């Protein structure tokens, strides 16, 4: 029953996000907002709607560990698993704007979360700060979009599929109904998923935090998986990378911002294990994007394999730590004493020896 509850909730989250994005996009377009702005805001944020629904729902249910673990785990999953899998399908070209602007913003958001959480709590005011930064970031993207070329605007219009006059979703009542159905599906889906996750944690003898960092994080990231993998298969490799980076920034500023505001005076307790390990892993993963992206301005297949390998190692560490397994110390020693230094040395050598490809965007 718990498995059915979990996957039923996940299905509702994915369907709800898609329906909400469709209704909100059509409504915005009918009011004359450009497809480019809709793509940068509604569609981009729509893939993170499951994370928002689950985190806010967890806070309302008193499960703050799931709320924070979901965001931190989703960001680690986004970069290591989704980019790794997408790069194995096809080497991913990285747009220069991602290197100069979006990745530093993602790193800055990760650093800010670490700083705000050092006192062991994300307060109502911390949540307000994060959400205010999200609003400012969105306004910045919209203003910046006005300088985009006609080709970029046409690409967004094609991706969003602007409805023809007289189409079934061209009418205001239908658009409002889609938004309402999408929101309802997100609310019920998040409730089912949180309930199932708590039951999983009890049955497996692990904490809500570990479940949030792994099962919930992977489940709520399914829209990003679908978007990035599909983009990689179609050859739209810049979309595959941009989707992950943008979603990771929104997870911190949007999900935790709203969760902090909803928590009220109580705030969100940040578990000591998050401060000691998981948030640092999230920050390290964000920082790792820069040298990986800069080496030829692409994510090669071998780099995608390294990302996937590190995600497997991260989950293995969480499982061993949760069970206090005898192999934990040996596993940690091999990773810190051999695997991580070898990866760093390899990246440095590649950065020195591999020039950027000619004509890279």
């Amino acid at each position: 029953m718990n498995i059915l509850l979990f996957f039923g909730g996940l299905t509702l989250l994915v369907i709800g996000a898609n329906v909400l994005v469709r209704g909100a996009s059509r409504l915005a377009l009918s009011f004359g907002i450009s497809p480019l702005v809709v793509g940068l805001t509604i569609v981009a944020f729509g893939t993170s709607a499951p994370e928002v629904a689950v985190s806010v729902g967890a806070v309302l249910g008193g499960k703050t560990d799931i709320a924070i673990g979901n965001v931190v785990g989703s960001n680690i999953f986004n970069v290591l698993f989704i980019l790794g899998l997408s790069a194995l399908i096809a080497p991913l070209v990285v747009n220069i704007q991602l290197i100069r602007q979006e990745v530093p913003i993602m790193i800055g958001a990760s650093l800010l979360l670490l700083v705000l959480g050092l006192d062991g709590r994300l307060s109502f005011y911390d949540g307000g700060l994060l959400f205010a930064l999200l609003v400012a970031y969105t306004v910045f993207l919209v203003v910046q979009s006005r300088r985009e070329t006609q080709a970029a605007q046409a690409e967004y219009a094609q991706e969003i599929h602007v409805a023809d006059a007289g189409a079934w979703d061209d009418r205001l009542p239908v658009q409002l109904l889609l938004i309402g159905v999408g929101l309802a599906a997100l609310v019920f889906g998040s409730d089912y998923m949180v309930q199932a996750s708590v039951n999983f944690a009890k049955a497996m003898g692990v904490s809500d935090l570990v479940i949030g960092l792994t099962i919930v994080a992977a489940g709520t990231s399914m829209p990003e998986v679908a978007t990035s993998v599909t983009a990689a298969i179609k050859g739209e490799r810049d979309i595959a990378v941009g989707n992950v980076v943008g979603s990771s920034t929104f997870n911190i500023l949007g999900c935790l911002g709203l969760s902090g505001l909803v928590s009220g005076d109580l705030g969100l307790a940040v578990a000591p294990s998050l401060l000691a390990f998981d948030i640092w892993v999230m920050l390290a993963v964000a920082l790792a994007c820069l040298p990986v992206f800069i080496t030829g301005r692409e994510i090669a297949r071998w780099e995608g394999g390294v990302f996937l390998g590190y995600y497997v190692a991260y989950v293995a560490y969480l499982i061993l730590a949760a069970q206090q397994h005898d192999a934990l110390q040996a596993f940690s020693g091999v990773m810190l004493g051999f695997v991580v230094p070898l990866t760093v040395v390899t990246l440095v050598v590649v950065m020195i020896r591999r020039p950027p490809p000619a004509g890279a965007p």
Side-chain angles (χ1 to χ4, degrees), residues 3-19 50 181-182 185-186 188-190 192-193 219-220 222-223:
I3 293 174
L4 288 175
L5 194 65
F6 181 87
F7 282 104
L10 176 59
T11 301
L12 282 175
L13 285 173
V14 173
I15 292 174
N18 287 331
V19 172
V181 170
L186 286 171
F188 284 107
S190 65
Y192 295 157
M193 202 169 182
T220 55
M222 284 301 111

Side-chain angles (χ1 to χ4, degrees), residues 96 99 293-298 350-361:
I96 190 63
I99 300 172
F293 287 9
I294 290 172
T295 53
R297 289 211 229 133
E298 72 172 10
V350 171
M351 286 179 66
I352 294 172
R353 299 185 61 180
R354 190 168 71 185

Side-chain angles (χ1 to χ4, degrees), residues 74-264:
S74 289
N75 280 16
I76 295 170
F77 182 86
N78 281 352
V79 175
L80 295 183
F81 184 88
I82 299 178
L83 282 187
L85 180 61
S86 300
L88 284 179
I89 295 171
L92 301 176
V93 176
V94 181
N95 192 290
I96 190 63
Q97 179 176 326
L98 279 171
I99 300 172
R100 291 177 176 172
Q101 176 177 301
E102 307 305 332
V103 173
I105 289 174
M106 177 180 68
I107 293 171
S110 302
L111 272 172
L112 179 60
L113 175 59
L114 175 63
V115 171
L116 293 179
L118 286 176
D119 61 354
R121 184 169 299 276
L122 288 178
S123 67
F124 173 85
Y125 298 103
D126 292 337
L129 173 62
L130 291 172
F131 192 75
L133 288 173
L134 174 68
V135 173
Y137 177 54
T138 304
V139 172
F140 169 73
L141 287 179
V142 171
V143 171
Q144 188 182 56
S145 72
R146 295 177 180 176
R147 300 196 297 269
E148 290 287 352
T149 63
Q150 289 294 324
Q153 307 231 10
E155 181 182 351
Y156 271 97
Q158 184 178 4
E159 287 176 23
I160 295 174
H161 305 298
V162 180
D164 297 326
W168 69 274
D169 56 355
D170 187 44
R171 297 183 295 277
L172 180 61
V174 175
Q175 294 162 355
L176 294 176
L177 178 63
L178 287 173
I179 293 172
V181 170
L183 288 172
L186 286 171
V187 170
F188 284 107
S190 65
D191 185 48
Y192 295 157
M193 202 169 182
V194 170
Q195 285 183 35
S197 300
V198 172
N199 293 336
F200 280 145
K202 291 178 180 177
M204 297 170 66
V206 298
S207 65
D208 291 346
L209 179 59
V210 172
I211 294 296
L213 286 166
T214 53
I215 298 175
V216 176
T220 55
S221 293
M222 284 301 111
E224 285 93 333
V225 173
T227 300
S228 291
V229 170
T230 301
I233 292 172
K234 290 181 177 179
E236 298 169 340
R237 296 179 291 176
D238 54 337
I239 295 176
V241 180
N243 170 59
V244 165
V245 175
S247 176
S248 295
T249 300
F250 180 82
N251 283 346
I252 296 174
L253 301 182
C255 296
L256 288 183
L258 281 173
S259 298
L261 289 173
V262 168
S263 68

